[in-house]
Amino acid sequence: MKLFVNSVKHVDFHWHKEVEIVYVLQGSIIMYLDQKQYTLHEDDVIQNGTLSEEQLNRSVARILKLVERVTSNQATDSSGDQNYHALARKAAAESIVLLKNENAILPLQPDSISSIAVIGRFAKKPRIQGAGSAKVTPTRVDIPWDEIKELAGGSVTLGYAEGYPEDDSIQEDLIKESVSLAMNSDVAVLFVGQPEYAESEMRDLKSIDLPEHQVKLIQAVAAVQPKCIVVTSSGSALVMRPWVQLVPGVVHSWLSGQGMGRAIAEVLFGQENPSGKLSETFPVKLSDNPSHMRIRGENGKLYYREGLFVGYRYYDRKELAPQFPFGHGLSYTSFSYTDLEVAQVEKGVTVSFQLKNTGKRKGKEVVQLYVHDEECNWTRPEKELKAFAKIELEPGEKRRIVFELEERDFSYYNTKYNRWVAESGFFQIALGSSSRDIRITERLHCNFGKEEVTFHKFSLLSEWLSDSVAKKVLEECLDEMNEHVTDKVYLNEEFVGFWEDFPVVKLFQMFGQNWMIDRSPDEVIQELIAQVEKAR
């Protein structure tokens, strides 16, 4: 008898640990690693006493029970698969992002066009998911070509060209075929994206550009067909600079699953109003990215030195224009933001405003709320996303949208105190359609209480002066010192301007030697700290 298992003293490729299948069976664990089968010889392990027959039977019984549970209803009830696929289509439609729509080239109107050139392998063989351990088995897959053909109707002639090969070679005959088809059609829709061989686990992308054969294809088609729409697929940001200015329409579908084909077709023909937003910044070029200079690491180590300034926070601080900003995503309708009201309630903040669909179609807007701390003593981003909501409105409909922010939304992690801190002061509350499309702002003063400064030997002069109790204690001490020294210390604007970033202990080291007879500067500082703590 043979039991087929996943690994016998073989390397677990996901975690790189040796898995001893006998121990796995003894521990009542079932593991699935890959589709390879390895043979466990029952006689060997049972006769030598390593594994009991009871343990083996118990593990096999669990597997058979699981198989029965998940397959018992498959033959009689298919409604689950249908419901799942409907959900997959909805999820894909909600995530697709309309990046560019010059001259309202989208949605396509079957009544006003007679022919469409559908170009690119991904139109018939879509890349719907990641590779490696990200890959799952779909219940069914919508093919963009089939879905476009159905929605276009019998009055529209569809032509197909492969456009580019499966590998990364450049085949001029495929490009020429695509150009010829596009020239003789009313509209060209190109399906392109990162191929699976380039974008997968266990490997790094060499760039975030499309493969060269796809770039050449887009440029060649756009040169002969001004009504050119590009549908991109990838799991991360893409650089589009070599071609995006040549085409009026760009739709980004990500890797949005088995329902992607139908969702794309519905977006192209306007049966679905796109409402997805970019979850990351699309840069003009890879070198704009904050981690670019250290992307490969050095000497086998990679340090994350960007700190807070990643994504839109970096582009904002550097005043660097991206190709498409974080949160960007167009719609076939339009929205207005008015009547912003902000108020602090206890230690939270209530934000409300009026959102109106000012267009002629039903649509969804992803409202994004950003906060900017005007007065923080620490380096902070220009703004930070603190809340968002997806709102569906009928044409002409308006609704008051309310966000409730907590004190934590105004906090930063103070590494000096090792805790989250919200400083009282003025904040900018900004609402917009993307990180670079802010529609309405309001300034609010928030009172989160007085933050008590914790003093130590090397606390700076500026820190002592920022605390009223500590400032009074220090001034009294300096007054006493000035009675015994020649070079007197007065905390005027000129003196503070130079010394504010020095530890206070330095003042006593520099100016107080004649005063400190039997005490050291360190002892004076400790005495002052004790006085501050007592006064509080």
Side-chain angles (χ1 to χ4, degrees), residues 433-452:
S433 187
S434 83
S435 62
R436 291 293 178 98
D437 184 11
I438 300 301
R439 305 291 183 86
I440 191 168
T441 62
E442 186 62 74
R443 191 169 185 248
L444 175 70
H445 184 274
C446 294
N447 183 7
F448 297 115
K450 181 66 176 176
E451 183 67 31
E452 289 189 350

Side-chain angles (χ1 to χ4, degrees), residues 93-161:
E94 295 271 355
S95 65
I96 288 173
V97 184
L98 179 60
L99 294 177
K100 186 177 181 181
N101 193 24
E102 285 185 355
N103 303 317
I105 189 171
L106 290 172
L108 298 175
Q109 305 294 335
D111 296 340
S112 61
I113 55 177
S114 60
S115 59
I116 302 175
V118 180
I119 300 169
R121 288 176 56 85
F122 282 175
K124 290 192 174 182
K125 297 181 179 179
R127 184 168 175 240
I128 65 169
Q129 59 183 320
S133 58
K135 184 170 288 186
V136 297
T137 303
T139 58
R140 55 184 283 198
V141 177
D142 290 339
I143 306 301
W145 165 261
D146 296 336
E147 304 301 330
I148 290 173
K149 184 186 296 185
E150 179 182 334
L151 295 187
S155 62
V156 179
T157 301
L158 262 64
Y160 172 76

Side-chain angles (χ1 to χ4, degrees), residues 448-463:
F448 297 115
K450 181 66 176 176
E451 183 67 31
E452 289 189 350
V453 180
T454 302
F455 294 99
H456 52 81
K457 174 183 174 181
F458 297 108
S459 292
L460 307 181
L461 176 60
S462 59
E463 293 174 316

Side-chain angles (χ1 to χ4, degrees), residues 233-297:
S233 298
S234 71
S236 60
L238 290 171
V239 163
M240 303 181 180
R241 180 176 59 169
W243 54 267
V244 70
Q245 71 279 4
L246 305 176
V247 300
V250 181
V251 176
H252 189 64
S253 65
W254 303 103
L255 305 178
S256 45
Q258 65 182 57
M260 182 177 74
R262 181 69 180 192
I264 289 173
E266 290 183 350
V267 166
L268 292 176
F269 287 100
Q271 293 191 10
E272 182 73 33
N273 193 345
S275 59
K277 300 284 188 174
L278 290 184
S279 54
E280 58 183 304
T281 301
F282 278 37
V284 173
K285 55 187 184 299
L286 180 59
S287 59
D288 288 346
N289 190 282
S291 63
H292 180 260
M293 287 190 295
R294 294 176 294 273
I295 199 167
R296 303 296 176 190

Side-chain angles (χ1 to χ4, degrees), residues 460-461 464-465 469-480 491 504 507-508 525 528 531-532:
L460 307 181
L461 176 60
W464 281 82
L465 297 182
V469 174
K471 181 180 179 181
K472 181 180 179 182
V473 169
L474 178 60
E475 287 175 335
E476 290 175 352
C477 178
L478 292 177
D479 288 343
E480 180 185 343
L491 298 179
V504 167
L507 302 185
F508 299 118
I525 285 293
L528 295 182
Q531 292 178 37
V532 171

Side-chain angles (χ1 to χ4, degrees), residues 17 28 95 110 118 199 203 228 243 271 285 303 323 342 352 355 390 411 437 446 461 472 475 494 516-517:
K17 297 178 181 177
S28 301
S95 65
V118 180
E199 191 177 56
R203 69 175 68 212
C228 186
W243 54 267
Q271 293 191 10
K285 55 187 184 299
Y303 296 99
Q323 188 71 66
V342 296
S352 67
L355 181 69
K390 193 172 212 178
S411 302
D437 184 11
C446 294
L461 176 60
K472 181 180 179 182
E475 287 175 335
E494 182 181 359
M516 295 180 296
I517 299 173

Side-chain angles (χ1 to χ4, degrees), residues 72-107:
S72 59
N73 295 325
Q74 285 185 354
T76 58
D77 185 8
S78 61
S79 62
D81 286 350
Q82 294 173 359
N83 293 338
Y84 178 83
H85 192 65
L87 177 62
R89 284 178 168 179
K90 177 174 171 34
E94 295 271 355
S95 65
I96 288 173
V97 184
L98 179 60
L99 294 177
K100 186 177 181 181
N101 193 24
E102 285 185 355
N103 303 317
I105 189 171
L106 290 172

Side-chain angles (χ1 to χ4, degrees), residues 176-225:
K176 289 179 181 178
E177 178 190 16
S178 302
V179 168
S180 177
L181 178 63
M183 287 178 62
N184 295 290
S185 303
D186 294 335
V187 178
V189 180
L190 285 80
F191 285 81
V192 298
Q194 291 285 14
E196 186 174 305
Y197 64 77
E199 191 177 56
S200 175
E201 65 177 344
M202 304 303 292
R203 69 175 68 212
D204 291 329
L205 285 167
K206 292 183 173 63
S207 76
I208 56 174
D209 293 87
L210 288 175
E212 187 179 359
H213 55 30
Q214 294 183 15
V215 173
K216 288 182 176 294
L217 172 67
I218 297 171
Q219 292 171 335
V221 170
V224 300
Q225 176 52 267

